[in-house]
Amino acid sequence: MKNFIAGVVITLLALAAGAYVSVVNGWIPANADDKPGALETWAAHSSLRATLKREMPTTAVPIALNNENLIKGIHIYAANCAVCHGASDAKASNVATGLFQHAPQLAGDGVTDDPEGKIYWFVKHGVRLTGMPAFSGALSEEQIWQVVLFLKHMDELPAPVQKVWKSIPSAKS
Ligand code: HEC
């Protein structure tokens, strides 16, 4: 039994030493112009999924679905999100092209099928170690819900709201 415990301790120390040596020698990639490895992708996705399940709100959206809130959401999106997630033409900006992780161009690869609470969680808290910022310190609760409402209903906007959305300039220069 003693030998077994000693074996376990030595293995753990060797793994910790290996991890330390990999980090201080730069063997764990630090660049953004590459694809993430399978282990990194698995760990990031699994942790994000579990966090969302625990934390995303499931209560009803606290603001009304009307043109005023949708248009406010579009303006918030144009000022804060289009640089990474694109305008209505879904063309990736130069910033989006260089991001690691990849930022979905929301006009093409949208989130209209996601529950509102999930979109809200992304906007409010951001995603660690990606370009996705947390807006909890910059936008009010009402503003976060307005941009959520817009993203949720992006594929069924009433005509006057659609006109505002189409008028947002392309993010691609
Ligand atoms: C600096 C770039 C950047 C900005 C600005 C940004 N995002 Fe993101 N966003 C990302 C990246 C990168 C991801 C992907 C994160 C991941 O891989 O988990 C993401 C993910 C998301 C997702 C999840 C998409 C999905 O398919 O599940 C939503 C929703 C989102 N962002 C909304 C917004 C909104 C709304 C704003 C503005 C208020 C915004 N983002 C601003 C980079 C950005």
Side-chain angles (χ1 to χ4, degrees):
M1 188 63 189
K2 246 190 188 156
N3 280 349
F4 174 73
I5 293 173
V8 170
V9 170
I10 288 168
T11 308
L12 288 178
L13 285 176
L15 284 174
Y20 176 77
V21 169
S22 303
V23 170
V24 296
N25 282 302
W27 294 340
I28 292 180
N31 59 314
D33 52 356
D34 209 346
K35 288 218 178 322
L39 182 65
E40 191 178 342
T41 304
W42 171 82
H45 284 173
S46 304
S47 170
L48 181 59
R49 243 195 325 268
T51 306
L52 280 169
K53 204 168 158 197
R54 191 177 63 232
E55 291 189 355
M56 72 180 206
T58 49
T59 43
V61 176
I63 59 169
L65 174 55
N66 57 33
N67 288 6
E68 193 194 335
N69 279 330
L70 287 169
I71 289 172
K72 283 193 174 150
I74 292 174
H75 288 307
I76 295 164
Y77 180 91
N80 298 281
C81 324
V83 63
C84 291
H85 292 295
S88 58
D89 63 359
K91 288 207 174 115
S93 70
N94 295 346
V95 171
T97 305
L99 273 178
F100 177 104
Q101 311 284 325
H102 164 75
Q105 296 307 296
L106 293 176
D109 189 6
V111 287
T112 50
D113 290 342
D114 283 346
E116 286 93 337
K118 184 173 167 189
I119 309 173
Y120 168 90
W121 189 95
F122 271 103
V123 182
K124 180 155 177 156
H125 299 292
V127 184
R128 198 179 279 231
L129 301 182
T130 78
M132 177 60 201
F135 286 92
S136 52
L139 297 178
S140 68
E141 278 294 295
E142 188 183 27
Q143 288 175 311
I144 294 178
W145 281 114
Q146 282 165 337
V147 79
V148 168
L149 215 55
F150 159 59
L151 291 179
K152 176 73 187 170
H153 298 280
M154 188 184 245
D155 58 351
E156 49 178 15
L157 296 173
V161 181
Q162 179 74 1
K163 210 167 146 201
V164 177
W165 175 220
K166 291 279 175 201
S167 76
I168 303 299
S170 174
K172 172 81 184 139
S173 57

